[in-house]
């Protein structure tokens, strides 16, 4: 079996301990998430806490693709996190990744520094009375503008993938997670507004965020609002239609 194991230069001194933990993943650490697709555990090494994400074992075809044609999700997560930090965008610090191959990719792991955060973007969707919701949404719009200006197209820009740290005085830091789907490219205004669609924005949220983005970009509020609304509503209609079809199939 072939193994790939890479550690960020900042963590070379604990490389052997990290590797041992990954090789014994099932017996090490505590589960944060134990899902059908991916699992996440926390582990403490030398007084620091780390998160280990084990990706779903791919089927035979996918495993061969990851072996010969495409980087694994673990490798992409590590490399994209490193690039985000280089660009000044916050994400839990990348620590290491491991891949195990037989004929194709068998399993893979991504390790990052554990982040103590206050909440994620989902609370803003579900709780219109969340404290300082308007200020957080305004700052989220400015944060997304920074992503786009730096050529970062985060394809999974969804509510659960932005962790938020309250710095006090209504100032917030935004950290991106689940990074394996990302492109680095120049986006026009319509493409930028389309990138908001997965955040599942309400009319009120768009009314708050669109003017901030418009001012930073130099577009009119009307056009920015129109495009953000257009892409958000189209995405929501498609998702809701799929949910309805699934319910009908279950009921029949």
């Amino acid at each position: 079996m072939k193994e790939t194991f890479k550690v960020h230069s900042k963590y070379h001194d604990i490389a052997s301990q990290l590797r041992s933990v990954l090789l014994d993943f099932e017996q090490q650490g505590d589960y944060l998430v134990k899902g059908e697709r991916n699992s996440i555990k926390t582990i403490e090494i030398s007084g620091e806490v780390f998160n280990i994400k084990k990706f779903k074992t791919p089927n035979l075809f996918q495993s061969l693709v990851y072996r010969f044609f495409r980087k694994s999700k673990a490798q992409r997560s590590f490399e994209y996190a490193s690039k985000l930090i280089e660009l000044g965008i916050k994400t839990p610090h990348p620590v290491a990744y491991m891949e195990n191959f037989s004929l194709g990719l068998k399993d893979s792991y991504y390790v990052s520094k554990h982040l103590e955060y206050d909440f994620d973007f989902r609370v803003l969707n579900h709780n219109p009375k969340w404290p300082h919701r308007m200020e957080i949404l305004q700052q989220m719009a400015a944060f997304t503008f920074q992503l786009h200006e730096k050529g970062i197209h985060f394809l999974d820009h969804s509510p659960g993938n932005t962790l938020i740290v309250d710095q006090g005085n209504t100032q917030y830091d935004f950290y991106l997670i689940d990074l394996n789907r990302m492109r680095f490219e120049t986006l026009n205004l319509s493409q930028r507004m389309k990138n908001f669609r997965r955040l599942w924005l309400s009319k009120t949220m768009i009314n708050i965020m669109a003017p901030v983005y418009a001012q930073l970009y130099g577009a009119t509020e009307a056009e920015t609002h129109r495009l953000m609304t257009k892409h958000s509503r189209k995405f929501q209609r498609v998702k809701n239609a799929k949910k309805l079809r699934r319910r009908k199939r279950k009921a029949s």
Side-chain angles (χ1 to χ4, degrees):
M1 183 179 292
K2 179 184 175 183
E3 174 191 296
T4 300
F5 177 57
K6 183 170 182 178
V7 181
H8 192 280
S9 58
K10 184 178 177 181
Y11 296 98
H12 276 167
D13 58 329
I14 60 168
S16 61
Q17 293 163 278
L18 283 168
R19 182 174 179 274
S20 295
V21 167
L22 295 177
L23 291 173
D24 193 28
F25 176 81
E26 298 301 331
Q27 304 303 319
Q28 298 287 334
D30 300 307
Y31 278 104
L32 280 178
V33 177
K34 190 173 185 180
E36 294 182 3
R37 295 177 64 249
N38 306 317
S39 297
I40 302 174
K41 279 187 165 185
T42 60
I43 189 77
E44 184 174 336
I45 299 175
S46 300
E48 290 193 83
V49 180
F50 303 97
N51 290 348
I52 304 171
K53 184 172 186 178
K54 180 183 180 183
F55 293 93
K56 178 184 177 182
T57 301
N59 61 37
L60 178 60
F61 174 75
Q62 292 170 331
S63 72
L64 293 173
V65 170
Y66 287 133
R67 175 71 186 271
F68 298 108
F69 303 108
R70 192 180 186 195
K71 294 178 180 180
S72 72
K73 292 180 179 180
Q75 182 179 355
R76 280 181 277 146
S77 296
F78 180 85
E79 292 179 352
Y80 292 164
S82 300
K83 188 169 181 65
L84 289 181
I85 288 173
E86 289 176 6
L87 292 171
I89 299 299
K90 291 180 170 59
T91 186
H93 202 288
V95 176
Y97 75 91
M98 175 183 276
E99 304 163 323
N100 292 308
F101 299 91
S102 50
L103 176 61
L105 178 67
K106 181 182 177 185
D107 50 43
S108 60
Y109 307 84
Y110 171 58
V111 186
S112 61
K113 185 79 169 62
H114 180 72
L115 174 69
E116 293 291 345
Y117 64 97
D118 294 295
F119 52 94
D120 63 36
F121 191 85
R122 285 176 290 198
V123 302
L124 306 175
N125 295 98
H126 302 309
N127 189 346
K129 295 184 179 180
W130 187 264
H132 306 296
R133 184 173 185 252
M134 183 177 73
E135 290 85 355
I136 301 167
L137 290 172
Q138 289 172 333
Q139 291 175 43
M140 179 66 168
F143 171 71
T144 304
F145 174 78
Q146 288 182 355
L147 295 181
H148 296 159
E149 284 296 287
K150 294 180 179 186
I152 300 165
H153 189 183
F154 184 31
L155 300 178
D156 284 328
H157 196 27
S158 59
N161 289 341
T162 299
L163 308 181
I164 303 173
V165 176
D166 186 346
Q167 296 290 1
N169 298 317
T170 63
Q171 295 299 310
Y172 301 89
D173 285 339
F174 301 88
Y175 290 76
L176 299 183
I177 61 169
D178 202 0
L179 307 178
N180 64 83
R181 294 202 326 124
M182 191 174 293
R183 291 202 293 260
F184 297 90
E185 58 190 356
T186 301
L187 302 174
N188 61 33
L189 182 60
S190 182
Q191 291 168 326
R192 290 172 180 228
M193 294 303 99
K194 188 176 181 180
N195 194 218
F196 281 89
R197 72 194 187 282
R198 293 180 180 274
L199 291 174
W200 211 270
L201 302 176
S202 67
K203 180 179 179 180
T204 299
M205 296 168 84
I206 291 174
N207 287 343
I208 293 170
M209 299 177 80
V212 174
Y213 200 104
Q215 183 176 18
L216 292 169
Y217 185 80
T220 65
E221 286 188 22
E223 180 65 1
T224 305
H225 189 284
R226 184 187 72 81
L227 289 169
M228 191 180 290
T229 301
K230 169 190 167 184
H231 292 301
S232 293
R233 296 297 170 263
K234 181 178 179 181
F235 177 80
Q236 291 165 13
R237 284 196 301 270
V238 170
K239 288 294 183 180
N240 286 332
K242 287 181 179 179
K243 289 179 183 177
L244 182 60
R245 287 196 296 270
R246 283 197 295 267
R247 290 196 195 104
K248 288 181 177 179
R249 283 197 296 267
K250 288 181 180 179
S252 61

